[in-house]
Amino acid sequence: MPEAIYQLENVSFAYNEARLVLDQISYEVPQGSFVCIQGPSGSGKSTLLKLLCRLEEPGQGLIRFGGRPLAEIYPPLLRREAIYIQQTPVVGSGSVRDNLLLPFNFKINADLPRPSDERLRSILDEFHLSDIGLDDPASGTSVGQKQRLCLIRSMLLSPKVMLMDEPYSALDPASANIVWDMSRRLNRENGITILMVTHSQLGARIQDGLLVEVSQGKIRPICL
Ligand code: ADP
Ligand code: MG
């Protein structure tokens, strides 16, 4: 049994007193796993991912990351190790290179090796972005290409976890498939634990991962 990267113990969360979004949930995420999260709209899937990188704080209960209470981990460091990928990719002004290297300008990442142009080029090629130049303006890329750039930018930081919130929802089917394959590879080849909010068809494709449903404040495993 691999050790748990996340342990949630009786975690509850509410945006306002009127309604608990998550109601005393306990759940363990095995290190290196690929977890697909499903559930009705508004059930708390995005909230769950946000709790895992402290974009929200639980009202009650405890979340551990690598055995340590989340609240003890310096948030910028936590968010480098557990990166939240949003539905709609955001790239800044500047070139593709500028965007991929942006996090390396932050003080918190000063200890990380800055990837060479050669490495960036080979990663772009590997993820079907051969027709994009490092000097091209990032703003000129398609939304599918932007999402891949966001995944690559995250991957360069060697995170332990990627929290993907319907990362393909703004994409055309071909780009969505590439993003899906990319996330599978990041899990298998780079050992990154992935929690991904998915719709049911995509979740059903997962053979060697875990499938859970968030609904009515609870989280339940779904057997494939
Ligand atoms: P899901 O991702 O499963 O669609 P969310 O986690 O986004 O659901 O939202 C869970 C519930 O919390 C929904 O009822 C939503 O309307 C509410 N909610 C989400 N974000 C906020 C917020 N910032 N303030 C107040 N309520 C929110
Ligand atoms: Mg959501």
Side-chain angles (χ1 to χ4, degrees):
M1 190 66 186
E3 68 183 84
I5 184 127
Y6 278 112
Q7 293 161 292
L8 287 82
E9 295 166 21
N10 297 314
V11 171
S12 295
F13 178 85
Y15 288 100
N16 56 58
E17 283 170 19
R19 190 172 77 95
L20 271 182
V21 175
L22 299 172
D23 182 6
Q24 297 212 16
I25 61 171
S26 294
Y27 185 67
E28 290 202 351
V29 178
Q31 185 150 0
S33 58
F34 193 110
V35 184
C36 287
I37 302 167
Q38 299 177 2
S41 177
S43 63
K45 304 178 297 295
S46 298
T47 303
L48 176 64
L49 293 191
K50 287 176 186 166
L51 285 168
L52 297 178
C53 59
R54 284 186 76 189
L55 291 175
E56 297 290 353
E57 301 279 354
Q60 278 175 40
L62 181 66
I63 303 176
R64 291 178 189 276
F65 179 70
R68 288 176 65 195
L70 214 54
E72 286 179 8
I73 305 173
Y74 180 51
L77 188 62
L78 174 68
R79 290 186 203 120
R80 169 175 116 188
E81 300 203 323
I83 299 183
Y84 183 76
I85 306 276
Q86 21 182 27
Q87 295 186 354
T88 311
V90 179
V91 300
S93 58
S95 66
V96 166
R97 181 195 295 100
D98 293 341
N99 270 275
L100 293 178
L101 295 180
L102 180 73
F104 294 90
N105 299 334
F106 303 151
K107 203 171 153 195
I108 183 82
N109 296 325
D111 58 322
L112 294 179
R114 202 179 173 89
S116 64
D117 274 6
E118 204 181 1
R119 167 124 201 267
L120 295 181
R121 182 70 265 159
S122 85
I123 296 175
L124 290 176
D125 292 347
E126 206 179 317
F127 292 115
H128 310 275
L129 293 170
S130 305
D131 48 348
I132 291 188
L134 289 173
D135 293 311
D136 293 353
S139 57
T141 56
S142 73
V143 67
Q145 291 169 331
K146 287 190 179 83
Q147 189 59 293
R148 277 177 267 164
L149 290 175
C150 287
L151 292 191
I152 292 169
R153 182 170 61 194
S154 302
M155 180 189 124
L156 290 170
L157 300 174
S158 303
K160 293 186 174 131
V161 178
M162 285 169 75
L163 305 165
M164 301 189 182
D165 199 349
E166 302 188 72
Y168 46 76
S169 60
L171 313 188
D172 61 85
S175 296
N177 269 321
I178 295 174
V179 164
W180 171 257
D181 290 341
M182 245 180 115
S183 63
R184 300 292 294 134
R185 286 182 61 182
L186 292 173
N187 176 245
R188 283 207 204 101
E189 296 171 21
N190 300 44
I192 300 174
T193 304
I194 292 187
L195 287 96
M196 187 193 280
V197 177
T198 59
H199 54 67
S200 51
Q201 294 98 311
L202 210 50
R205 276 208 230 161
I206 188 105
Q207 300 294 320
D208 53 351
L210 302 166
L211 186 57
V212 296
E213 184 184 42
V214 175
S215 74
Q216 298 179 327
K218 299 292 185 191
I219 183 166
R220 296 180 194 84
I222 300 176
C223 295
L224 291 172

